[in-house]
Amino acid sequence: MAGGGSDEVKLLGMWASPFVLRVKLALSLKGVGYEYVEEDLKSKSELLLKSNPVLQKVPVLIHDGKPICESSVILQYIDEAFAGVGSSLLPEEPHGRAVARFWAAYIDGTLVKASSEASMAKTEEEKAEGKKQVAAAVETLEGALRDCSNGKPFFGGDTAGYVDVMLGGLLAWVHAADKMKGVKTFDPTTTPLLAAWADNFGSLDAVEAVMPDVSKLVEFAMAMHARAAAAAAGATN
């Protein structure tokens, strides 16, 4: 990948992780070169365990030998550490930065949490409630995009910014889930702005360069579901 500092920047990740994808997207959009290290989360490397001893999970960005953890924190670090490279992810003025951080927190605290409940809850009632919360969160983000973009393609305006990357990291999994369930999360009839945003964001060269293959994610998800079903069946025998 083109960009500066390729010998000094390393990303520890796992290909299917939406949180790792966020970091890849930020680095790609900024044009920062880096070394990518794929982690086996069943047998974590010594580097990962040393770099993130508290959580022991990816992503971890290592810059000049110093680790940074948690995707939202890493994105802000990238924007500050490579301020002279590419476009800024966060607005320059304080209020705009605060608004972007608010919606980024909403994505993780509401949308991601509800999506997890919709797919992983133990009861059908809990899953149904999770789906309702996902729909409500998507509707809220439709309004947020309208207010933040001022008629421009992205949450960041003319260019993809912090909120775009936070939501964009989930985009491949949104497409995979839609494909498996035969639905459209960002439906042009109900959320036309988000539907257009998804197309615009996904068509950026820097985004296309790092997006995982949706078919591979579907295969990955189906394999995970099969293993979980087998484990559940074994537990009841």
Side-chain angles (χ1 to χ4, degrees):
M1 179 177 295
S6 59
D7 293 333
E8 302 174 348
V9 182
K10 183 177 292 187
L11 173 61
L12 311 184
M14 184 269 181
W15 74 272
S17 167
F19 306 105
V20 172
L21 179 57
R22 286 174 173 171
V23 182
K24 289 182 177 180
L25 288 167
L27 292 168
S28 186
L29 287 164
K30 293 279 286 182
V32 176
Y34 63 99
E35 175 190 352
Y36 176 69
V37 179
E38 178 74 10
E39 286 284 340
D40 179 357
L41 299 184
K42 293 181 180 178
S43 180
K44 298 172 183 177
S45 71
E46 287 298 319
L47 181 58
L48 174 57
L49 297 176
K50 179 181 178 181
S51 301
N52 192 357
V54 177
L55 301 176
Q56 299 185 3
K57 64 180 183 179
V58 294
V60 175
L61 186 77
I62 303 175
H63 183 211
D64 288 336
K66 300 175 182 178
I68 307 96
C69 307
E70 289 294 300
S71 64
S72 62
V73 175
I74 294 172
L75 299 192
Q76 295 180 62
Y77 176 86
I78 290 170
D79 207 32
E80 295 174 3
F82 301 98
V85 181
S87 300
S88 178
L89 297 177
L90 281 159
E92 292 184 4
E93 50 91 16
H95 181 263
R97 295 169 79 88
V99 170
R101 288 183 174 121
F102 172 86
W103 287 116
Y106 180 85
I107 289 167
D108 272 357
T110 303
L111 179 60
V112 171
K113 183 178 179 181
S115 298
S116 178
E117 184 174 355
S119 61
M120 301 175 64
K122 294 181 179 179
T123 68
E124 291 303 317
E125 291 80 5
E126 290 173 334
K127 289 181 179 180
E129 179 59 28
K131 291 177 182 177
K132 286 175 58 179
Q133 291 178 12
V134 167
V138 168
E139 183 178 349
T140 298
L141 287 171
E142 174 81 359
L145 177 56
R146 180 180 58 250
D147 295 340
C148 293
S149 67
N150 292 318
K152 296 176 180 178
F154 304 107
F155 284 91
D158 289 318
T159 59
Y162 181 55
V163 181
D164 299 284
V165 174
M166 288 290 289
L167 186 58
L170 311 177
L171 195 54
W173 270 112
V174 168
H175 291 327
D178 287 354
K179 189 173 182 178
M180 288 187 290
K181 299 174 183 177
V183 300
K184 196 139 183 97
T185 301
F186 299 151
D187 191 329
T189 61
T190 56
T191 53
L193 297 180
L194 280 174
W197 168 85
D199 289 340
N200 290 327
F201 186 79
S203 65
L204 294 173
D205 290 341
V207 171
E208 289 184 336
V210 296
M211 274 287 182
D213 183 82
V214 170
S215 296
K216 285 184 63 179
L217 288 177
V218 170
E219 292 175 7
F220 179 78
M222 292 178 67
M224 286 183 60
H225 291 160
R227 287 194 295 269
T236 59
N237 290 340

